[in-house]
């Protein structure tokens, strides 16, 4: 499976670049990419609280900033297209951002799995799950070589219930995976138990240093994540599990117990 044919972007000239924009719950991460997959400019900024009201304008401003940065460093470039990924329910066929160039819009985690299948850790694999663990948690499935969308509903792994008596989730359920194992939930749980607000990265470092409180919070998050992974593998038969998102940057502190 791939992005729709009408959204494909042609890069033909050596100075052609494509803008890649990832709108997350906390940050907007963007880059200009030239051939062959060379990043020539990057930009990270806080996600505007009202981005839903002026989505196109926010994307256009981000892309404009990237182009200006690149041209200040290396001279003129031609923007050949833009890829935008967002969380939640995404209509990948009809969605479009209007910034004056061909634009592909996709679900952030399905796009991540597509990238892994084309150029990363899932090359040559027909059955895989990609789980992104950041402010929230979502998943994407590739089965028999096709990425599953189900009209945008597939992959909401963050709302699999792993503890019926767990925290209340904004979706209305209790104990969703996202309320226990996301980076934001690890931070909230640690702050509630210890009284100190730290980032998930800082908590991971405390786990590595042997702090008991951090290790307890971390163990709970990993156990719930493992439960959801086992359920997914059992139901789908995937042969490869890929982790991404901010929490995955903790590497073996997460991967070894998982």
């Amino acid at each position: 499976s791939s992005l729709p044919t009408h959204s494909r972007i042609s890069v033909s000239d050596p100075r052609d670049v494509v803008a890649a924009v990832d709108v997350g719950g906390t940050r907007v991460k963007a880059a200009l990419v030239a051939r062959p997959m060379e990043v020539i400019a990057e930009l990270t900024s806080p996600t505007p609280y009202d981005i839903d009201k002026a989505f196109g304008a926010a994307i256009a401003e981000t892309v404009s900033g990237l182009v200006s940065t690149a041209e200040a460093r290396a001279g003129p470039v031609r923007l050949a297209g833009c890829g935008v990924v967002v969380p939640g329910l995404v209509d990948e066929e009809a969605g479009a951002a209007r910034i004056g160039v061909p634009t592909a819009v996709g679900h952030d985690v399905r796009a991540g799995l597509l990238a892994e299948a084309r150029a990363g850790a899932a090359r040559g694999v027909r059955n895989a799950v990609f789980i992104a663990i950041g402010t929230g948690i979502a998943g994407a499935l590739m089965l028999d070589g096709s990425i599953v969308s189900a009209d945008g509903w597939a992959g909401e792994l963050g709302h699999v219930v792993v503890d019926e008596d767990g925290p209340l989730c904004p979706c209305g359920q209790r104990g969703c995976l996202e309320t226990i194992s996301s980076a934001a939930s690890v931070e909230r749980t640690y702050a509630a138990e210890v009284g100190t607000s730290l980032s998930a990265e800082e908590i991971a470092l405390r786990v590595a240093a042997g702090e008991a409180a951090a290790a307890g919070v971390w163990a709970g998050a990993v156990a719930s994540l493992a439960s959801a992974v086992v359920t997914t593998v059992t139901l789908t038969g995937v042969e490869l599990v890929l982790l991404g998102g901010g929490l995955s940057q903790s590497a073996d502190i997460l991967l070894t117990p998982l």
Side-chain angles (χ1 to χ4, degrees), residues 62-227:
T62 298
V63 173
S64 176
L66 282 169
V67 171
S68 296
T69 299
E71 292 188 332
R73 292 175 180 171
V77 297
R78 188 184 79 89
L79 186 63
C82 180
V84 182
V85 296
V86 296
L89 299 177
V90 182
D91 186 338
E92 289 156 320
E93 291 291 338
R98 300 183 182 278
I99 59 171
V101 295
T103 300
V105 179
H107 181 265
D108 52 358
V109 184
R110 287 195 293 275
L113 178 54
L114 182 62
E116 294 290 355
R118 287 185 179 175
R123 281 179 294 183
V125 175
R126 289 179 54 78
N127 301 287
V129 59
F130 175 51
I131 303 171
I133 314 167
T135 305
I137 295 179
L141 286 168
M142 181 170 63
L143 301 178
D144 296 328
S146 295
I147 293 177
V148 179
S149 174
D151 295 329
W153 289 92
E156 288 298 329
L157 191 65
H159 295 289
V160 169
V161 174
V162 291
D163 180 0
E164 293 181 353
D165 298 317
L168 182 65
C169 181
C171 79
Q173 301 185 116
R174 282 196 173 274
C176 288
L177 179 65
E178 196 167 282
T179 69
I180 299 171
S181 300
S182 68
S185 295
V186 167
E187 293 166 1
R188 283 195 299 269
T189 303
Y190 184 84
E193 293 191 8
V194 179
T196 303
S197 295
L198 296 175
S199 68
E201 180 182 8
E202 292 169 320
I203 295 168
L205 291 174
R206 293 196 175 200
V207 173
E211 183 190 292
V217 171
W218 197 261
V222 171
S224 293
L225 179 60
S227 176

Side-chain angles (χ1 to χ4, degrees), residues 10-18 33-36 76-80:
S10 176
V11 178
S12 56
D13 186 274
R15 297 305 297 164
D16 282 356
V17 295
V18 171
V33 184
R35 303 171 72 185
V77 297
R78 188 184 79 89
L79 186 63

